[in-house]
Amino acid sequence: MNAYINYAAVNLFLGVVAGIITYVIIGFTISIFRKIVLPWYQNLIYKGINIRGEWLGYAATIEGGEYVVGPDSESTVILNQQGNKIYGELLLTKQPSGEKCRKLFEFEGTFVDTILMCNSKARDSNNMGKGAFLMKLTENGAKLKGSQTYISAYDWSTINTRQQVWVRK
């Protein structure tokens, strides 16, 4: 009887260990699939426009139906692309007030049929700036034009909207 209990305990222990090992192997396989195989496949089948790269961002106004870049806000935008998924960073170097700064935001979204839609947030957890972009690729892929709606990192009392132009570097 005692040998039977020991045998059952060993089998139970081995079953638990095998379950844990299986869990780790499946988790590792899923992780590899999501991080390597799926992005590779998305890039393979994606037949749309490539907007990956560095862009210069400017605040703009619309005059006579045309976007006019203003001198009051500048940023550098790094776009990464996996199929129609977009992610990247925006480094604000000049605030809308014209004051120089260095604020880093990260964003993610989608790019479908020349339309970029993405959400942004401040990378620094002490900075509460958030926003959204809706932009259209124009001029044979040289510019993204559209608008940004955001809550300033400095003033959370209002939601602001401004026109944006990103120029491919």
Side-chain angles (χ1 to χ4, degrees):
M1 175 80 173
N2 201 12
Y4 177 75
I5 292 174
N6 286 340
Y7 180 72
V10 167
N11 283 336
L12 179 65
F13 176 75
L14 291 176
V16 169
V17 169
I20 291 171
I21 291 171
T22 302
Y23 173 77
V24 169
I25 290 171
I26 290 172
F28 180 74
T29 303
I30 289 172
S31 178
I32 292 294
F33 181 78
R34 286 184 180 159
K35 292 182 179 177
I36 296 173
V37 176
L38 193 57
W40 170 81
Y41 180 70
Q42 287 172 334
N43 284 331
L44 180 70
I45 65 167
Y46 180 72
K47 302 298 181 208
I49 301 166
N50 180 2
I51 61 170
R52 180 181 301 120
E54 190 171 343
W55 298 71
L56 298 175
Y58 303 98
T61 57
I62 298 179
E63 296 175 12
E66 295 293 322
Y67 283 78
V68 178
V69 173
D72 57 345
S73 180
E74 295 176 5
S75 58
T76 299
V77 182
I78 305 295
L79 289 176
N80 297 301
Q81 184 174 7
Q82 289 179 344
N84 68 345
K85 294 186 182 349
I86 302 294
Y87 61 96
E89 298 177 341
L90 183 146
L91 176 62
L92 183 65
T93 54
K94 196 176 191 186
Q95 296 179 27
S97 64
E99 181 182 332
K100 292 191 182 255
C101 68
R102 287 189 61 81
K103 299 238 176 277
L104 187 60
F105 296 85
E106 55 189 25
F107 61 88
E108 61 182 39
T110 58
F111 180 71
V112 178
D113 296 331
T114 71
I115 302 296
L116 172 67
M117 296 182 296
C118 59
N119 294 318
S120 66
K121 67 178 182 176
R123 174 153 302 160
D124 180 3
S125 61
N126 294 325
N127 187 339
M128 301 192 318
K130 296 178 188 283
F133 292 90
L134 180 60
M135 304 179 82
K136 181 171 179 55
L137 191 66
T138 62
E139 298 180 29
N140 201 26
K143 291 183 180 179
L144 281 161
K145 297 178 180 179
S147 63
Q148 173 190 21
T149 301
Y150 64 98
I151 298 174
S152 171
Y154 304 105
D155 178 15
W156 269 64
S157 63
T158 58
I159 296 175
N160 303 296
T161 300
R162 69 175 169 201
Q163 303 305 310
Q164 288 279 311
V165 174
W166 293 356
V167 180
R168 193 183 292 263
K169 199 168 183 184

